[in-house]
C-alpha cells in the first residue's frame, strides 16, 4: 500500500477576512501636495457596488418578460463613525463647502476601493448608556474603482 503524506491545513486561510484595521481616508489639500488622511473612529462600512438596472426588452411576441442589464445604480455609501467633535466638524465643513471629496477605503488584506462624491454628515440619535455616532453619506459621482 502506497503511503500518502498528509499536509497540515491552515484553516485560517479559509476563514474569511476580519474587519479589524479597515480604514476610510479622505484626500486632504489640493494639487500635488494632497494626501489621503484616515478618518478616525470608523465603526461600520456599507456594501460597495450596486446592481445594474434592468432594461425591459420584451416584444409583443414574447410569452415571458425579457431583460438586459442596464446602467449600474450606486446608492449613497453610508459609513458609521464614533462621534468625535473634531472629525465631525471637519466633515461638516466639507459638506458646507459643497465640493466633492476623494476617498479610499482600505481593507485589511490590502484591497483598496477609491471613489469621489458629495458629502453629507448626520448626527446619530442618543439613548441611555449609549455612545453617540454619526453617519457620513457619500453620494458617489465617480467610482468605485478597485486596486
Amino acid at each position: 500500500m502506497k503511503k500518502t503524506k498528509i499536509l497540515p491545513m491552515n484553516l485560517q486561510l479559509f476563514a474569511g477576512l476580519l474587519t479589524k484595521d479597515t480604514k476610510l481616508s479622505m484626500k486632504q489639500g489640493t494639487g500635488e501636495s494632497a494626501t489621503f488622511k484616515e478618518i478616525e473612529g470608523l465603526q461600520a462600512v456599507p456594501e460597495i457596488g450596486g446592481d445594474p438596472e434592468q432594461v425591459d426588452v420584451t416584444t409583443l411576441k414574447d410569452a415571458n418578460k425579457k431583460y438586459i442589464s442596464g446602467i449600474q445604480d450606486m446608492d449613497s455609501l453610508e459609513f458609521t463613525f464614533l462621534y468625535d467633535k473634531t472629525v465631525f466638524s471637519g466633515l461638516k465643513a466639507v459638506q458646507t463647502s459643497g465640493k466633492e471629496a476623494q476617498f479610499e477605503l482600505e481593507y485589511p488584506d490590502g484591497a483598496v476601493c477609491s471613489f469621489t462624491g458629495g458629502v453629507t454628515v448626520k448626527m446619530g440619535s442618543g439613548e441611555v448608556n449609549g455612545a453617540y455616532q454619526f453617519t457620513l453619506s457619500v453620494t458617489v459621482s465617480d467610482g468605485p474603482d478597485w486596486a
Side-chain angles (χ1 to χ4, degrees):
M1 182 169 174
K2 185 178 179 184
K3 272 191 161 181
T4 304
K5 184 175 180 179
I6 298 175
L7 298 174
M9 261 178 103
N10 184 347
L11 293 178
Q12 292 200 353
L13 294 176
F14 303 101
L17 182 63
L18 185 65
T19 57
K20 183 182 179 304
D21 294 326
T22 301
K23 297 184 267 188
L24 180 66
S25 301
M26 185 174 67
K27 192 167 260 192
Q28 303 286 313
T30 57
E32 289 183 22
S33 64
T35 58
F36 282 96
K37 181 180 178 199
E38 182 178 353
I39 305 170
E40 297 293 332
L42 182 63
Q43 290 188 307
V45 174
E47 291 181 344
I48 305 292
D51 296 322
E53 292 185 15
Q54 292 184 343
V55 178
D56 187 344
V57 293
T58 310
T59 69
L60 295 175
K61 289 186 176 189
D62 293 325
N64 297 311
K65 283 198 157 228
K66 294 180 181 178
Y67 298 94
I68 60 171
S69 292
I71 297 173
Q72 186 177 15
D73 188 10
M74 276 296 301
D75 293 329
S76 292
L77 301 177
E78 293 189 352
F79 299 88
T80 305
F81 289 85
L82 184 63
Y83 177 76
D84 176 278
K85 184 177 181 179
T86 304
V87 175
F88 181 82
S89 298
L91 291 169
K92 197 72 173 161
V94 174
Q95 175 184 332
T96 304
S97 76
K99 296 180 181 176
E100 290 190 331
Q102 292 179 304
F103 296 90
E104 280 188 349
L105 180 60
E106 184 178 343
Y107 292 87
D109 66 354
V112 175
C113 176
S114 59
F115 51 93
T116 302
V119 172
T120 305
V121 184
K122 175 174 60 175
M123 186 68 179
S125 61
E127 59 186 49
V128 174
N129 200 32
Y132 272 110
Q133 299 172 317
F134 70 89
T135 302
L136 165 65
S137 294
V138 180
T139 304
V140 178
S141 63
D142 187 32
D145 298 313
W146 291 89

